[in-house]
Each structure stands twice: as structure tokens, then as C-alpha cells.
């Protein structure tokens, strides 16, 4: 059986805050370290365009969110970490799914309905300021998920409906074209708390009550000083229930630490002192990450390379799957016979890299496509190990490895750079 696939996306429309860290980033990074699952994390920048019309903000947020996830311990070697807009198969699949999605299904989406209700209540046209992007959001999200055949999608409660819609859309597609789509499930972590913000309501950008995750130390201290408390004087017993300060502390502290603060509350700790305790506790967890965050933010080229490598890894899955899907819906090469390419049975054979030994006693490899056409031919290697190392490089880096292997490869006539790059991504 194939391993469990877990996938989640992060919209690149803001700066990560403590609520994002506790509610999404920290649990996801921990889950990615568990053995057995194959994890996919991506920066949902196409989604960000639905909300944000400022190009500089999209770019800045992408940089900050990428740096945050890596600083928080996500290991791009272990997981597949990529940017949505680097995967052209996502919008391509989005269109195929659009064509099997009922408009009525989208009419019922909470996010769209909320906009319509607001407009109606204020006497405006129902669709005033509603873009087709907002309306289509659930289909794009379904494409994100279905393209990777994800089984589980960790999301907040507000996203459950979108996962259900992805299932509905997958079923419509399968009904028409055969069982190609895996039906995903939402994964709601019961133990993951929503963090209260400065004013005690859920920490959220829309309430403007957030504490930035990687603010400099002194700024973090200031923000924590701004948490709303009641007016009890030092010496008066404080209640933990309903105390935003206490709840935030709990999200970072061990059980013993939490018990200690509970006792301090009962003994009448001054709010100023309680805030100092909270500040030190958060800073202890964040400080080491803050340093790597700063280093990454100041090295955008490195982040870009990591995302490009992630896209390459992702596209080795999405390109062949998309090729199969194109076949299945009838977007086909006219040379392929309509008889044999029956809609439900097409399987796309992949290009293969073959290593072999010639009569000269030396070692070689070549890349051939499914029909046996030669795409890439190596020169000789003294040992099988050297040949294998070159193959490994091609498997890992795809066409990016070609420049470095230039003097080890023979040129093959009639094979374009694009064909070769595509084949290198699809090969086994
Ligand atoms: N819509 C999600 C959110 O706002 C982000 C997202 C986009 C996503 N595509 C996804 C989450 C796919 C999970 C899977 O939080």
C-alpha cells in the first residue's frame, strides 16, 4: 500500500503570528517528523491573490512564510515543500475540475455566502465586490489536494467545508472518467488550541489582535504587555478561566509550569509579573528560531533555491498524473488511436534511465521514453559507482543537473531541451 499522504497549504497573505504558530505551524512540523507519512506543505500564493491586490505584499508574505516554516524546523529533504504557483499542473487540473463542478455547489460555500449575505443585508447587489476568484476558491483548493492524491488534510474548522467539496468534486470526476481521484479527509487536531489574541478574542489578523511570531525580543515584550487583563490589584487572587494571558502561557508551557502559574494566580501575582513570566516562556521557545528566521529572510536566494528544488520534487508526481488525466478526459495526441485509448484504462508509461556495461568494459547509462526513443546518452564511466552517482544527480535535480554533467553526456539529435526536461521529471 502507498504511504499515507498528508497535505496542507498556507495562504501567503500576511505575516505569521503566534496563533498561526501554535495552531498550525508547530503541530505540522511535529507531524512531519513522525515516521510513516509522506507530507506536502505548500505556499498557497494563487489563493492569496483572491484577497490581496498588492504585489509587494504577496512577495513579502511568501518570503516570510517560507522562512517561518523552515525556521520552525520543517525539513525540505524529508517533506515536499513548494510554492503553488511553481506547479502549472495545479491551474491545469483546476480547469478540468471546474468543468465537473456544479455551480450550485459553489453557491453554497460559506465564504461566498457570507459575502452575499453581507451585501444583501446592507442593501447592495448580492454579488457586489465578489470576484469569480472568491467564488472558485473551493475548486482551486480541490485541485491542490487532488493533484497530490492526499489522504489527509490538516486544516482549521473553517476549512472543513472546503475538504468536503473537494470530495464531492473528486466523486464527480471519478464518476465521469474512472477512479483517478483519491477522496481526501479533513484532519482536525482536537488537541490544537486556538490561541486568544491581545483582546481575548481568537487571535486573528481580521481582529487586529495578533502578536507577531518573529518580532524582535523587545517588541515581543511590548506586545505581551498589551494583553488585556482585568483590574485586580497585586495581591488579589486572579482567575485562570477566561484569562487570555493564562491560555497563551498554557500553549507554550509544560504541565508543571502551568500548575505553577495557576498557583501564582491564586496567590495574587501582579499582572505585570505574570506578563514577564509569559514573555520569558515564549521567548525561550522562539529565540533560537528567530535567529534562523532572520538568516533566511536575509538570504532570499537560498529560499528560492529550496522552493525550486521542492517544485521539482513535486512535479515528478504531478506531471505524469496530469498527463494521465489529460488522456482520460480526451485531451489527446491525435496519433493515439481512439479505440485503444479508452477513457478508463489509459496508463502512461514513464521514461526510464538504464545503466549498462559495454563490450569495452566501461559503464554507461541512457534515458529512453516509453516507446524506446533515446533521449539522453552518457559517455563512458570507469566504474558503476560513478555512473550511478550521475544518475542519482539526474534523478534528484532533473534538468538542473545537465549543466554539471555536460562533459559526461553525448548530444542526441532531435531531442529538444523541453522534451528532455519533461522526461527527466517523469522518469521512474
Ligand atoms: N484555504 C486554506 C486556508 O485559508 C489554505 C489552502 C489552500 C489549503 N489550499 C489548500 C489548505 C489545500 C489545505 C489544502 O487556510
Amino acid at each position: 500500500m502507498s504511504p499515507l499522504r498528508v497535505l496542507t497549504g498556507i495562504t501567503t497573505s500576511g505575516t505569521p503570528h503566534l496563533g498561526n504558530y501554535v495552531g498550525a505551524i508547530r503541530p505540522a512540523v511535529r507531524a512531519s517528523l513522525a515516521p510513516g507519512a509522506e507530507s506536502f506543505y505548500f505556499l498557497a500564493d494563487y489563493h492569496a491573490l483572491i484577497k490581496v491586490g498588492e504585489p509587494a505584499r504577496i512577495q513579502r508574505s511568501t518570503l516570510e512564510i517560507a522562512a517561518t516554516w523552515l525556521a520552525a524546523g520543517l525539513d525540505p529533504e524529508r517533506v515536499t515543500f513548494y510554492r503553488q504557483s511553481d506547479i502549472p499542473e495545479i491551474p491545469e487540473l483546476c480547469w478540468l475540475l471546474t468543468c465537473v463542478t456544479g455551480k450550485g455547489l459553489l453557491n453554497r460555500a460559506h465564504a461566498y455566502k457570507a459575502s452575499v449575505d453581507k451585501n444583501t443585508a446592507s442593501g447592495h447587489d448580492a454579488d457586489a465586490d465578489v470576484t469569480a476568484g472568491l467564488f472558485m476558491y473551493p475548486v482551486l483548493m480541490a485541485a491542490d489536494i487532488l493533484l497530490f492524491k492526499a489522504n489527509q488534510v490538516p486544516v482549521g474548522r473553517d476549512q472543513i467545508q472546503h475538504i468536503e467539496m473537494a470530495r464531492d468534486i473528486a466523486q464527480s470526476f471519478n464518476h465521469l472518467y474512472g477512479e483517478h481521484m483519491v477522496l481526501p479527509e479533513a484532519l482536525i487536531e482536537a488537541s490544537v488550541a486556538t490561541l486568544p489574541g491581545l483582546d481575548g478574542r481568537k487571535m486573528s489578523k481580521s481582529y487586529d489582535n495578533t502578536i507577531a511570531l518573529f518580532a524582535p525580543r523587545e517588541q515581543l515584550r511590548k506586545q505581551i504587555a498589551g494583553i488585556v487583563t482585568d483590574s485586580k490589584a497585586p495581591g488579589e487572587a486572579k482567575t485562570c478561566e477566561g484569562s487570555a494571558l493564562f491560555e497563551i502561557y498554557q500553549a507554550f508551557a509544560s504541565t508543571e509550569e502551568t500548575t505553577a502559574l495557576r498557583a501564582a494566580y491564586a496567590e495574587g501575582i501582579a499582572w505585570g509579573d505574570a506578563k514577564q513570566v509569559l514573555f520569558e516562556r515564549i521567548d525561550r521557545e522562539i529565540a533560537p528560531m528567530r535567529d534562523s528566521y532572520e538568516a533566511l529572510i536575509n538570504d532570499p536566494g537560498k529560499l528560492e533555491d529550496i522552493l525550486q528544488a521542492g517544485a521539482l520534487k513535486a512535479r515528478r508526481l504531478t506531471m505524469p498524473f496530469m498527463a494521465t488525466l489529460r488522456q482520460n478526459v480526451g485531451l489527446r495526441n491525435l496519433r493515439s488511436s481512439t479505440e485503444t485509448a479508452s477513457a478508463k484504462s489509459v496508463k502512461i508509461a514513464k521514461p526510464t534511465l538504464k545503466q549498462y556495461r559495454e563490450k569495452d568494459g566501461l559503464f554507461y547509462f541512457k534515458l529512453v521514453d516509453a516507446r524506446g526513443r533515446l533521449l539522453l546518452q552518457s559517455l563512458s564511466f570507469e566504474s558503476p559507482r560513478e555512473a550511478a552517482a550521475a544518475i542519482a544527480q539526474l534523478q534528484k535535480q532533473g534538468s538542473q543537473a545537465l549543466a554539471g554533467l555536460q562533459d559526461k553526456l553525448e548530444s542526441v539529435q532531435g531531442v529538444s531541451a523541453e522534451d528532455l526536461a519533461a522526461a527527466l521529471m517523469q522518469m521512474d
Side-chain angles (χ1 to χ4, degrees):
M1 229 186 67
S2 46
L4 194 67
R5 283 210 181 147
V6 183
L7 173 144
T8 199
I10 310 95
T11 309
T12 56
S13 54
T15 298
H17 55 69
L18 279 186
N20 300 138
Y21 175 71
V22 169
I25 303 167
R26 192 174 60 186
V29 171
R30 283 188 189 152
S32 78
L33 296 173
E38 221 183 316
S39 327
F40 297 81
Y41 297 91
F42 71 97
L43 304 165
D45 54 350
Y46 282 139
H47 284 266
L49 293 181
I50 295 169
K51 287 192 257 177
V52 183
E54 297 158 62
R57 211 173 115 205
I58 298 273
Q59 184 187 18
R60 178 69 197 176
S61 173
T62 304
L63 179 75
E64 288 177 350
I65 294 180
T68 297
W69 281 76
L70 296 172
L74 195 73
D75 176 0
E77 294 288 327
R78 234 188 129 99
V79 307
T80 307
F81 183 54
Y82 57 98
R83 171 170 52 198
Q84 186 183 28
S85 65
D86 286 332
I87 315 295
E89 291 75 25
I90 293 174
E92 195 176 355
L93 177 58
C94 184
W95 181 250
L96 301 194
L97 298 178
T98 301
C99 296
V100 299
T101 302
K103 179 170 175 289
L105 181 85
L106 300 179
N107 286 340
R108 291 190 286 277
H110 299 322
Y112 169 69
K113 263 201 348 208
S115 296
V116 168
D117 291 349
K118 211 170 127 198
N119 280 331
T120 318
S122 57
H124 292 110
D125 179 78
D127 281 329
D129 291 330
V130 176
T131 64
L134 176 67
F135 188 66
M136 292 291 299
Y137 182 113
V139 189
L140 180 58
M141 190 158 155
D144 293 332
I145 297 168
L146 300 178
L147 186 62
F148 288 88
K149 303 182 183 169
N151 309 98
Q152 290 186 341
V153 186
V155 283
R157 289 186 190 283
D158 59 326
Q159 297 290 320
I160 296 178
Q161 189 195 31
H162 292 142
I163 311 301
E164 282 165 1
M165 289 181 150
R167 290 172 67 89
D168 288 342
I169 296 171
Q171 274 168 328
S172 303
F173 190 95
N174 287 351
H175 183 70
L176 200 54
Y177 298 116
E179 298 292 313
H180 300 285
M181 301 299 171
V182 171
L183 305 190
E185 270 170 36
L187 191 68
I188 308 289
E189 264 275 26
S191 66
V192 171
T194 48
L195 210 64
L198 295 173
D199 58 359
R201 289 185 292 174
K202 176 187 170 191
M203 190 180 289
S204 159
K205 211 174 54 185
S206 35
Y207 295 146
D208 197 21
N209 65 354
T210 62
I211 300 175
L213 175 55
F214 290 126
R217 196 177 135 89
E218 280 320 302
Q219 205 176 318
L220 177 65
R221 188 200 297 279
K222 262 206 203 128
Q223 289 199 299
I224 286 174
I227 296 174
V228 172
T229 58
D230 60 26
S231 55
K232 292 212 172 88
E236 260 185 275
K238 317 275 187 299
T239 28
C240 303
E241 285 63 43
S243 162
L245 197 160
F246 189 81
E247 277 181 48
I248 299 174
Y249 186 76
Q250 211 168 9
F252 287 88
S254 67
T255 319
E256 295 81 59
E257 289 168 325
T258 304
T259 309
L261 187 65
R262 189 183 291 281
Y265 262 53
E267 285 156 22
I269 184 174
W271 284 126
D273 294 340
K275 284 174 175 175
Q276 180 62 22
V277 171
L278 174 63
F279 166 67
E280 290 300 346
R281 186 61 192 83
I282 294 180
D283 194 58
R284 200 167 96 210
E285 179 159 334
I286 299 300
M289 294 185 240
R290 189 189 287 133
D291 291 343
S292 37
Y293 177 80
E294 291 298 335
L296 285 162
I297 283 285
N298 291 318
D299 194 354
K302 181 173 171 192
L303 282 172
E304 186 60 37
D305 288 346
I306 291 172
L307 290 178
Q308 289 303 328
L312 207 62
K313 199 160 146 189
R315 292 194 73 199
R316 288 190 59 187
L317 301 171
T318 63
M319 287 184 54
F321 186 39
M322 199 59 221
T324 311
L325 294 174
R326 289 177 64 97
Q327 280 290 323
N328 279 289
V329 301
L331 306 177
R332 298 179 188 152
N333 186 315
L334 295 181
R335 287 203 173 80
S336 67
S337 118
T338 44
E339 299 295 319
T340 54
S342 105
K344 296 191 180 179
S345 66
V346 188
K347 205 165 163 63
I348 305 294
K350 295 177 180 170
T352 41
L353 262 175
K354 294 178 179 153
Q355 190 180 342
Y356 56 96
R357 193 171 189 181
E358 276 289 7
K359 289 198 194 69
D360 59 10
L362 296 172
F363 299 87
Y364 297 80
F365 65 82
K366 62 184 175 182
L367 178 68
V368 291
D369 74 8
R371 292 210 190 86
R373 181 168 75 123
L374 182 66
L375 299 171
L376 187 70
Q377 172 66 60
S378 81
L379 296 172
S380 65
F381 291 87
E382 295 291 329
S383 72
R385 261 195 42 215
E386 286 168 75
I391 289 176
Q393 225 177 320
L394 283 166
Q395 281 168 332
K396 187 151 184 237
Q397 300 168 0
S399 55
Q400 286 182 357
L402 291 174
L405 294 170
Q406 215 172 14
D407 52 346
K408 280 293 174 195
L409 301 171
E410 221 174 281
S411 63
V412 179
Q413 274 205 341
V415 177
S416 71
E418 291 79 32
D419 284 355
L420 183 56
L424 285 168
M425 268 188 229
Q426 291 172 34
M427 71 196 173
D428 271 326

